[in-house]
Amino acid sequence: MLVDSPPEPSAPPVPAAAPRERRIPRAAGLLISLGVLLLVCGASIAIGAKSVPLGDVWHGLVHDSGTGNDVIVVDVRLPRTVLGLLVGTALGLAGAVMQALTRNPLAEPGLLGVNAGAAAAVVSAISFLNVTSITGYVWFAFLGAAVVSALVYVLGGTRGATPVRLALAGTAATAALFGYVNAVQLLDSAALDRLRFWTVGSLASADMSTVGKVWPFVAIGVVLALLIARPLNAMAMGDDTARALGARPARTRVLAMVSVTLLCGAATAACGPIVFVGLMVPHLVRAVTGPDMRWILPYAAVLSPVLLLGADVVGRVIARPSELQVGIVTALLGGPVFVQLVRGKRMGRL
């Protein structure tokens, strides 16, 4: 009599190895991106409106004499590169968090009124308090960004805030504040002259003092953004599903708002509103990494300063001996890209 043998133990599921197989190329891509970032940082220090031999660049970095080309390298280009690195990282992460928070791949940091709040505070400081230094702009711009972000969150419904409510509240605040900025500029020509350079978006006035004031805010914002990567992944499937997975949507939205305020507020305060960086990079990164925020955020933090510093170098080279501000270059690059993204979205729905 034959006895049925017990069933053989099932083999471990094959898909379990798939995530690791996907992680390896993404990790390699992140390392390559870091290498590209180092090259762009080197180019930002070595290339400028004035030609400086590479030997003099190295001498300035290693043996700063405080004279000649050493001053250009150490006192002008090095702070500019460090600030571009901070601002690019901040804008990229802020854009990625904004797109996840609003569930809109075409969202950008200014959607919550952060740029408008910073601009309103700066124009008020110039017109009514006679603030004239970049250092003074930093604190007022950051304060304005923080106040408007808190106001948008309150208008959005605090604990009942949804992506649509936040976007609508941010749009309304932006319209009102930019109307105020335009009115002050028209009534005060001195404010217009002083604000004009800041609103273009520029790294030209960078110094280590400005870097020292903004880097703590950027660092805190980066840490918060990375900490909420998993909850943002869960919230992409809806609040109910996120709660079932153990996430807390209300708390995640608050932390996301704080992170965006710190990152975008510090970046805008340091060099004015720079558009399209926070829109383009996270969207393009998502095509490589997929929807996982645990990969989107590191990639955006690395590749956004590549774009910003690269645009700054291009602006210094194409207009020699003068310069084209980085905000103008990113706008010229971002316009066609944004149109293509919108066209792609429309074609995807047809």
Side-chain angles (χ1 to χ4, degrees):
M1 182 176 178
L2 296 176
V3 180
D4 290 336
S5 59
E8 296 181 2
S10 59
V14 174
R20 179 172 177 80
E21 292 174 0
R22 288 195 297 267
R23 282 198 297 268
I24 292 174
R26 288 187 294 195
L30 189 58
L31 290 176
I32 294 172
S33 300
L34 285 169
V36 174
L37 177 59
L38 289 175
L39 290 175
V40 173
C41 287
S44 179
I45 296 173
I47 301 173
K50 177 183 178 181
S51 298
V52 177
L54 290 179
D56 290 357
V57 172
W58 178 255
H59 182 274
L61 293 174
V62 179
H63 308 289
D64 179 20
S65 64
T67 60
N69 288 333
D70 290 357
V71 174
I72 296 176
V73 173
V74 177
D75 296 339
V76 178
R77 293 184 185 174
L78 183 60
R80 187 170 183 161
T81 301
V82 174
L83 185 62
L85 183 63
L86 287 174
V87 170
T89 298
L91 292 176
L93 282 176
V97 172
M98 273 296 308
Q99 290 171 12
L101 182 65
T102 60
R103 300 173 200 163
N104 180 0
L106 297 181
E108 55 94 22
L111 190 63
L112 291 183
V114 177
N115 289 346
V122 170
V123 75
S124 299
I126 291 173
S127 183
F128 304 123
L129 300 178
N130 200 31
V131 176
T132 59
S133 67
I134 296 294
T135 302
Y137 296 168
V138 167
W139 295 111
F140 281 98
F142 187 79
L143 177 62
V147 169
V148 171
S149 294
L151 177 63
V152 166
Y153 186 69
V154 171
L155 293 175
T158 58
R159 289 187 177 274
T162 64
V164 175
R165 287 181 179 179
L166 290 174
L168 289 175
T171 301
T174 297
L177 289 171
F178 274 126
Y180 165 77
V181 169
N182 291 333
V184 173
Q185 288 178 323
L186 288 175
L187 296 173
D188 188 346
S189 59
L192 174 61
D193 292 338
R194 294 174 187 171
L195 191 66
R196 182 172 50 193
F197 184 76
W198 182 81
T199 54
V200 169
S202 174
L203 296 172
S205 300
D207 55 39
M208 284 302 181
S209 174
T210 303
V211 171
K213 287 179 173 61
V214 302
W215 81 260
F217 300 109
V218 174
I220 297 172
V222 168
V223 171
L224 284 178
L226 296 177
L227 286 177
I228 61 175
R230 282 182 179 273
L232 287 175
N233 279 340
M235 288 177 62
M237 295 179 284
D239 286 6
D240 293 338
T241 304
R243 292 188 188 96
L245 294 173
R248 298 170 62 180
R251 184 180 69 174
T252 301
R253 286 194 182 96
V254 171
L255 293 177
M257 291 282 290
V258 172
S259 175
V260 169
T261 300
L262 290 171
L263 293 169
C264 194
T268 305
C271 53
I274 296 178
V275 297
F276 286 117
V277 174
L279 167 65
M280 285 191 294
V281 175
H283 188 85
L284 297 175
V285 162
R286 195 176 292 108
V288 177
T289 65
D292 192 344
M293 294 299 295
R294 294 172 298 176
W295 285 101
I296 291 175
L297 293 176
Y299 265 87
V302 173
L303 292 179
S304 293
V306 170
L307 172 61
L308 186 66
L309 288 173
D312 189 44
V313 171
V314 170
R316 286 184 255 172
V317 171
I318 63 175
R320 283 178 173 172
S322 184
E323 292 185 11
L324 195 61
Q325 305 305 325
V326 66
I328 298 174
V329 178
T330 57
L332 292 174
L333 293 174
V337 173
F338 182 75
V339 171
Q340 186 60 38
L341 291 178
V342 174
R343 287 175 58 86
K345 289 292 175 183
R346 288 177 178 173
M347 293 300 294
R349 291 195 297 266
L350 294 178

